[in-house]
Amino acid sequence: MELYKSWYVILVISLSISSFVVQVSYGFDIESLETFLHDQANRSLLKPQTGTLYNIPLPSNFTGMELSVVRLRTGSFRSRGANFSSFYIPPQLKPNPYMKRLAIVYENLGNWSSLYYKVPNYSLVAPVVGFSIYDSPNSSVIGSKKLNFSIKGDPISIWFNKIELEGKNETPKCVKFGDNGSFKLKNMTKTNGCVTKGQGHFSIVVPSQPTSPPMKKKGILLIWWLIGFCGGFIGVVSLVLAMTAMFKIVKKKKLEAMEKQSEKEVPFDSIWIGRSKMPTASMVRTQPALEQEYAP
Ligand SMILES: *[C@@H]1O[C@H](CO)[C@@H](O)[C@H](O)[C@H]1NC(C)=O
Ligand SMILES: *[C@@H]1O[C@H](CO)[C@@H](O)[C@H](O)[C@H]1NC(C)=O
Ligand SMILES: *[C@@H]1O[C@H](CO)[C@@H](O)[C@H](O)[C@H]1NC(C)=O
Ligand SMILES: *[C@@H]1O[C@H](CO)[C@@H](O)[C@H](O)[C@H]1NC(C)=O
Ligand SMILES: *[C@@H]1O[C@H](CO)[C@@H](O)[C@H](O)[C@H]1NC(C)=O
Ligand SMILES: *[C@@H]1O[C@H](CO)[C@@H](O)[C@H](O)[C@H]1NC(C)=O
Ligand SMILES: *[C@@H]1O[C@H](CO)[C@@H](O)[C@H](O)[C@H]1NC(C)=O
């Protein structure tokens, strides 16, 4: 019974470790991508002209993504808005806190979109595009503060160059992705675009047919799962073995220490019986002092 229980625990632990390994091995983490892109923009623009959109070159293992940045004076941003990349930001937006200059970072994830962003039961039919607004101090193009803004008038409109419906007769919908993997669906506007009142990432989706994923993908997934499982399992087993060994060593040390201690304190002799050490009383024990003194 006990043995069965401990194996069950080992199995559960190794299963959870293996799923962790699988998740890590994919590594399409939105937050680290954002950090990387913003850092890239920060480093490759030294003295940009205000009002000019700059395309930021990306390393070859990001081919397919687009990144661009524009630096604006907040005053002109408020009076004229900004019409760059896939976003038309109307006038009257009020950034918070107020900084003299701001920088808008635009992203288009291109063919990487579906690796980073997923909507359950829907498939993306357009690349994911996004924008975010930062302060832009003189010392760096992209400051450390992300700015909020409030919209009183028209919302921001988003358009997509490429919507791939491929004969799907489902009605496409706009999707807005939150920071933590959350998303919100919305109808498209009459002009086949999307609108928003906040910054973030956006795309267009259609309901996906409930088809099973292609065998090849399944096979790869299975292989990853097996690798993760075996890795996790071997890890846990060796951990258990190591812990058992350590426990044994500690136990042995303790026993030895106890034996030494007992040898010091109690004037017992030991004899070996079979393989175990047994104490035997020697002939002379502690004198029964009290008894002698008060003896009549
Ligand atoms: C996206 O396309 C480019 C070529 O245009 C390619 O180099 C890159 O590997 C593709 N990325 C993905 C994730 O398929
Ligand atoms: C924004 O720019 C696009 C072209 O880049 C243009 O077609 C569109 O009319 C502009 N929108 C406004 C409101 O100026
Ligand atoms: C920032 O640079 C602009 C010119 O590029 C200059 O007019 C302004 O005084 C500078 N601000 C600070 C705080 O250095
Ligand atoms: C850009 O670089 C400056 C220093 O060079 C740094 O203070 C700032 O936090 C960086 N911005 C981002 C978004 O990494
Ligand atoms: C921006 O708004 C979010 C929530 O809407 C808040 O958590 C954050 O502190 C705000 N940032 C600034 C700079 O006001
Ligand atoms: C994710 O963030 C949104 C706001 O952007 C919030 O409404 C939602 O509760 C968050 N969800 C989780 C699971 O944290
Ligand atoms: C979205 O569109 C559907 C029809 O395509 C309509 O029934 C629904 O009321 C619309 N929702 C909103 C919020 O406009």
Side-chain angles (χ1 to χ4, degrees), residues 111-157:
N111 56 352
W112 296 82
S113 299
S114 55
L115 294 176
Y116 283 95
Y117 290 95
K118 289 186 172 63
V119 182
N121 303 322
Y122 285 86
S123 42
L124 299 180
V125 291
V128 170
V129 295
F131 80 102
S132 38
I133 302 183
Y134 286 86
D135 72 321
S136 187
N138 278 5
S139 52
S140 65
V141 175
I142 299 179
S144 48
K145 281 196 202 70
K146 197 167 170 171
L147 306 184
N148 284 345
F149 53 79
S150 53
I151 294 188
K152 296 228 171 69
D154 292 338
I156 294 162
S157 26

Side-chain angles (χ1 to χ4, degrees), residues 49-171:
Q49 251 182 332
T50 303
T52 303
L53 184 74
Y54 289 88
N55 285 316
I56 309 296
L58 292 174
S60 60
N61 49 348
F62 292 86
T63 306
M65 293 187 196
E66 287 167 23
L67 177 66
S68 51
V69 177
V70 64
R71 189 185 207 202
L72 297 172
R73 227 174 289 206
T74 301
S76 84
F77 173 73
R78 287 196 63 186
S79 60
R80 280 189 256 161
N83 189 12
F84 297 100
S85 185
S86 308
F87 298 90
Y88 171 65
I89 304 175
Q92 307 300 324
L93 235 78
K94 197 175 158 200
N96 171 38
Y98 187 92
M99 298 298 201
K100 199 158 179 223
R101 285 181 173 75
L102 52 82
I104 312 178
V105 183
Y106 296 100
E107 290 161 18
N108 183 332
L109 297 194
N111 56 352
W112 296 82
S113 299
S114 55
L115 294 176
Y116 283 95
Y117 290 95
K118 289 186 172 63
V119 182
N121 303 322
Y122 285 86
S123 42
L124 299 180
V125 291
V128 170
V129 295
F131 80 102
S132 38
I133 302 183
Y134 286 86
D135 72 321
S136 187
N138 278 5
S139 52
S140 65
V141 175
I142 299 179
S144 48
K145 281 196 202 70
K146 197 167 170 171
L147 306 184
N148 284 345
F149 53 79
S150 53
I151 294 188
K152 296 228 171 69
D154 292 338
I156 294 162
S157 26
I158 311 160
W159 65 88
F160 297 87
N161 295 334
K162 225 169 62 177
I163 301 179
E164 286 168 349
L165 285 175
E166 280 172 9
K168 294 177 183 108
N169 50 5
E170 308 277 358
T171 313

Side-chain angles (χ1 to χ4, degrees), residues 195-258:
V195 293
T196 180
K197 292 210 162 188
Q199 49 197 327
H201 289 83
F202 310 87
S203 189
I204 295 175
V205 292
V206 293
S208 52
Q209 280 82 21
T211 50
S212 59
M215 270 329 274
K216 200 180 154 201
K217 239 185 184 169
K218 259 190 179 167
I220 289 173
L221 260 178
L222 187 68
I223 288 167
W224 273 115
W225 193 86
L226 279 176
I227 291 173
F229 179 82
C230 292
F233 189 75
I234 291 168
V236 167
V237 167
S238 24
L239 194 74
V240 167
L241 287 180
M243 272 168 66
T244 312
M246 254 167 64
F247 182 71
K248 272 187 183 159
I249 290 171
V250 168
K251 208 171 153 189
K252 204 174 149 208
K253 281 258 164 71
K254 244 189 191 164
L255 261 180
E256 279 172 11
M258 269 166 68

